[in-house]
Every structure is written in structure tokens, then in C-alpha cells.
Amino acid sequence: MPILNREHGAEQPYWPLGPFQVRLPLIHYRLEMPEVIQGLIMFVVGLAMIPLLETYLGMPYEAALAFTFIAGLGYILPSLLGVPLVPGWITPAIPVVLLYLKGFEPGPEAIKAMFALQLEVTLIFLFLGVTRLGSKLVDVIPNSLKSGIIIGAGIAALMGELKTGGRIDSTPISLLLGAIISAYILFSLSFKNVVNASPLAKRIANFGMIPGMVIAMVIGWTSGEYATPNIEWGITQPDFALMWQYLTFTVGFPGWDVFLLAIPTAVIAYVIAFGDIIVGFTLVKRIDHLRADEKIDGSVDRVHLVTALRNLLHAFLAPWPGLAGPLWTAAHATVAERYAMGRKAMDSIYSGGGSFWVTGFVALFILPLVTLFKPVLPIALSLTLILTAYICIMVGMEQLKNPTERGVAGIVAVTLAMPDPKSTVYAVAIGLILYFLIERPKLFGKHAPEDEVIFADGAEESPAKERAEVS
């Protein structure tokens, strides 16, 4: 039990620190055993960035492994500083980032390019967090554009796995079975009925995507799709001295031309990350009304500031092709599902996310775990992308209120998912144009809430009436 306990209906205890709310494990929140166990396995997803670091930044495994320890510290920051989301990468932006990195020679040039990109992402988040424009964007951006970005990011993540030459080609058995099992446990209505009737099923549900991931790994090993691990014993010893040779302090800082080249990719990454923020808080709102015992402070500005700090940490100490994102969608959905089961299942939304990543960081030091999962790092990344795709599409569709919004969002989503590095820019531009031309009852000037929307079939619907019905 924690030293400080929450009163019914209040916020989880914290120490105020400027715009942040500091919460420490065992002092401000208890450790949740299901999340502790998940952290001991799911930390492998963080290790899945190692192959990308080796390929695109040209560093050896030992230096890339040291980078994951810096990332592990960054994962702890959100729950430590008062963000109720489980953090991760800007996962759907990875294909765009890799396309950007392909323009540079692996080694010093690619490291400089990655530094420039990560620093620009830092500045975007920092500016929007300090000025509090980040929270205003949630209300200002049209609903169809927000939903279209979320859906399109999900489609792009899924197509990256399903395309010819993708992971589905080389490891079809383990990937398909792992994805099916994980999706069934996380999202199936029939499994939820089984959970209500079976204590065993309830225990399985507590572990989220772990059962599917473990089964996928076992199938991968037994079927020969992945090599058998060579397990080593002891404590992981990351080579920070070698890591230093792959930082900008050693290889040098990029020129202004590299910073200019990185701007479009940085903007694209933020737009996708903004969609992640919307998804994260949407998931929180879906379960918040079920828990009257805790008041959750959903500060979008704080999310921006913490994400800026994480990207700043990466830029100087571990340039990261996945970037530092506000949400790990699949893990956050698992925590949210358990949180909805009541206070006995999970004391606080912060205790869930905090337990998960504190344990995940500790797991990095357990050498048998690191070497056990080393051969199957790709399957962890693939399952995360597939489940992220499902959640993005589900949440994006859920936010659309009428056929007009659904039509515009569909066009935005398809444009965003196109295999073109500028597809996100095109998607945003098309979404804004279609919003003004199609959705607004009046093309110019303000329109009253009671203005009616006329659909193609001749039916009329008042936005004010629709909002009343939804509420």
C-alpha cells in the first residue's frame, strides 16, 4: 500500500512542481501486480527499436542497447510528472521517419539528421505546451480532421505489416496467430462475457496482449520463423562509453540545411502524435465515468511539456527513430480496461501506468530476459503496430457524429495512409478544405449551433439536437 492514500472522489495524491504533479511508486500509488508482470515482458517492445538503430543510424548492438536505457528513463516520466497516459513512441510516424533517414548515410550523417528531427519535435511540443495552444487545438481542429488522422494513422500502421515484403511474408504463422489471440482477449465481446463468468478468463484478461505475444514468440521459435535464443545470465551491462561515440557531442552537430530538411517530417510526426493524444484521452473518458472514486486531471498542456522533455532527452542522449510519443495505444488500452474494473482491480490510473514502466525499466537490467527476447524483437513491434491500428480505427470512427463528418474523415484517412512522405501534409490540407466546403452550414462567417445540416438523402439534422441525443 502507498504511504499517501486518496480520498473518495479526489485526485491521486501528488507533490506539486510547477505545471507537473510528481507521483512516486509506493509513496503516492501502489504497485499493481498485473502491470508489474506485463512490464517484465512488454519491455521487449522497447528493445525492438534496436534493429532500426543498427540499420539506419549505423551503430553496433551494444550502443543501441544502451540507447534503450535512456528510453526506459523517458517512459517513466509521464506517470512521474502527472500524465494519465501510458507513453510509447509516435508509432505510426516510424515509416515516415525511416524514409527521411534513408536520405543520409548510416553513421554520423544519419545521427545528425535524427538529432535535428528530434530537436524540432521537442520545440513543437514545448511551444504548444508553454503557450497552452496544445489544449486549444483539441477544440479548434475540426472533428472530421482529427478522426481522419487517427483512422489514417491506424491504416498506415497496419498496411506496413501487410504489404508485400512486410513482416507477414516472413513470419505469417506467429504473427497472425499472435494478433488474433491478442485482439480476442483485448476487444472481443464474447470474451468479455467469458470473463464475467470465469475467474480464469478474468486473470488472463488482466495481462492484456501478453498472452498473444508469448504464444506468438513460442510459435515463432517452434516453427523456425525465429532463431532459438541463447540465454545469458547476470545483469545487463549497457556500454555507455561506446554509446557516447554515437551522439552529437562526438559526431558533431548538423548544419542548418539538415534542420530545414527535417521540418516536414517533424510536423508530420506532431500531427500523428496529436492524434495519439486524442486517442489516449478518449480512452480515459470512456472509463472515467465508471470510477467516481478518482478525479483524473486530463491536462493536454502537461502532456505536451512531458513529451517535449522526453524528446529533448532523446535528442542529446539517444536519437530515436520511433521518437518519444505521448501514447502506447495497446498498453494504454489494456490499463484502461483494468482500471474500469474498479478500485480493487487498479487503485489509480497512475498506479497502472507507473507500475508498468517502472518495472519495464528494471527489466532492462535482467540479462536473461534481454537475451531471451533478442531473437523475437520484430514480433513485439509487429503486434504493437497491428493492435494500434485496430484501436486507432475504432476510436476514430467512434468520434464521428454524422455522415458528412464520416465522409470527410474517410478521405483524410485514405490520403494519410498513402505511401508518400508528404501524405500527412496533403491529408491535413484536404481535410481543412473539405471541412470548409462541405461541413460548414455557412461557408463564411459564424454559424449558430442550431443551423441544420442537410444530408444527401434530403434528411435534416440539427447539430444541437444531435449533441443533446448523444449526451
Side-chain angles (χ1 to χ4, degrees), residues 363-375:
L364 289 171
F365 289 92
I366 306 175
L367 185 59
L369 285 178
V370 173
T371 52
L372 171 66
F373 293 126
K374 184 178 178 180

Side-chain angles (χ1 to χ4, degrees), residues 104 329 381 386 428:
F104 301 89
T329 312
L381 176 59
I386 291 171
V428 172

Side-chain angles (χ1 to χ4, degrees), residues 343-413:
R343 190 167 186 177
K344 288 185 178 180
M346 182 183 293
D347 182 44
S348 167
I349 193 73
Y350 301 99
S351 64
S355 300
F356 183 92
W357 272 127
V358 167
T359 308
F361 180 69
V362 172
L364 289 171
F365 289 92
I366 306 175
L367 185 59
L369 285 178
V370 173
T371 52
L372 171 66
F373 293 126
K374 184 178 178 180
V376 290
L377 295 181
I379 198 72
L381 176 59
S382 292
L383 287 178
T384 298
L385 287 168
I386 291 171
L387 295 175
T388 296
Y390 178 88
I391 295 170
C392 285
I393 294 170
M394 175 186 69
V395 172
M397 294 293 291
E398 190 177 59
Q399 299 305 301
L400 298 169
K401 300 183 179 68
N402 57 57
T404 307
E405 286 190 352
R406 286 191 283 272
V408 173
I411 298 297
V412 172

Side-chain angles (χ1 to χ4, degrees), residues 7-10 287-295 339:
E7 296 182 3
H8 186 86
I287 48 92
D288 188 26
H289 70 281
L290 301 174
R291 293 284 301 270
D293 61 284
E294 179 177 16
K295 179 183 177 183
Y339 179 78

